[in-house]
Amino acid sequence: MDGVPAWLVPVAHMLQHAQEDAAEALKGLTADQVWARPGGGASIGFHVRHLMGALDRLFTYARGESLTADQVRAMKTEGDPGAPPAVAATLLEELAGATSRAIDQLRATDPSTLLDPRAVGRQQLPSTVLGLLVHGGEHSARHAGQAMTLRHVALRAGVP
């Protein structure tokens, strides 16, 4: 992983795997399938958008910054398909951009700052740069896995 500090290479790999898994989950799906909510749960589209949004928010905190109004607004609409609904190709393009930005941030992270304290959210919960970056990677993997599982559920349920 060119340019990524050794301590952060596992995070970069988590992000790459999450992107690959989400791409597999979205492969060949219609917009209806992407946004279907089998059993009333979250949609594949939600999990992919949440993966991107949470990654962006966690990496923002890792930089020591607060969320912007746009980030908060996007968080509140992660499950909204949009009008017209976002298609798989659009979500994949957005995910590729989010993953690329995150890996660029890993490349730019000075390893000497990894244990620097960071505050998260309105409650200012304590963390570190490393904690937030690792959480961004594992959280991304978790939601990509959810999207893969939901693909099987949606296809077995016969969602058109």
Side-chain angles (χ1 to χ4, degrees):
M1 185 65 64
D2 282 343
V4 175
W7 287 101
L8 299 176
V9 168
V11 176
H13 285 156
M14 282 186 262
L15 296 175
Q16 284 183 324
H17 289 271
Q19 181 179 355
E20 291 166 6
D21 288 348
E24 186 65 28
L26 289 164
K27 186 174 162 183
L29 296 183
T30 65
D32 287 342
Q33 291 168 323
V34 169
W35 295 102
R37 298 179 59 200
S43 66
I44 295 168
F46 164 79
H47 283 288
V48 174
R49 276 206 182 135
H50 181 68
L51 182 167
M52 294 184 280
L55 179 61
D56 179 50
R57 293 186 294 274
L58 290 164
F59 276 43
T60 295
Y61 291 132
R63 293 190 303 272
E65 299 171 6
S66 297
L67 299 184
T68 66
D70 285 344
Q71 286 172 306
V72 172
R73 196 170 19 263
M75 178 174 50
K76 293 177 180 178
T77 61
E78 288 172 343
D80 180 3
V87 296
T90 300
L91 292 172
L92 286 172
E93 185 177 312
E94 291 171 358
L95 179 58
T99 303
S100 178
R101 286 187 299 279
I103 291 174
D104 285 346
Q105 181 172 333
L106 295 176
R107 286 187 177 103
T109 300
D110 179 349
S112 71
T113 67
L114 292 177
L115 298 180
D116 287 358
R118 293 292 186 259
V120 179
R122 285 178 278 176
Q123 295 181 347
Q124 297 292 285
L125 299 172
S127 190
T128 62
V129 172
L130 181 60
L132 288 161
L133 297 176
V134 169
H135 185 52
E138 68 84 18
H139 188 267
S140 296
R142 182 181 327 151
H143 284 280
Q146 286 288 96
M148 289 179 68
T149 299
L150 279 170
R151 173 191 176 84
H152 296 292
V153 171
L155 293 177
R156 286 204 171 103
V159 175

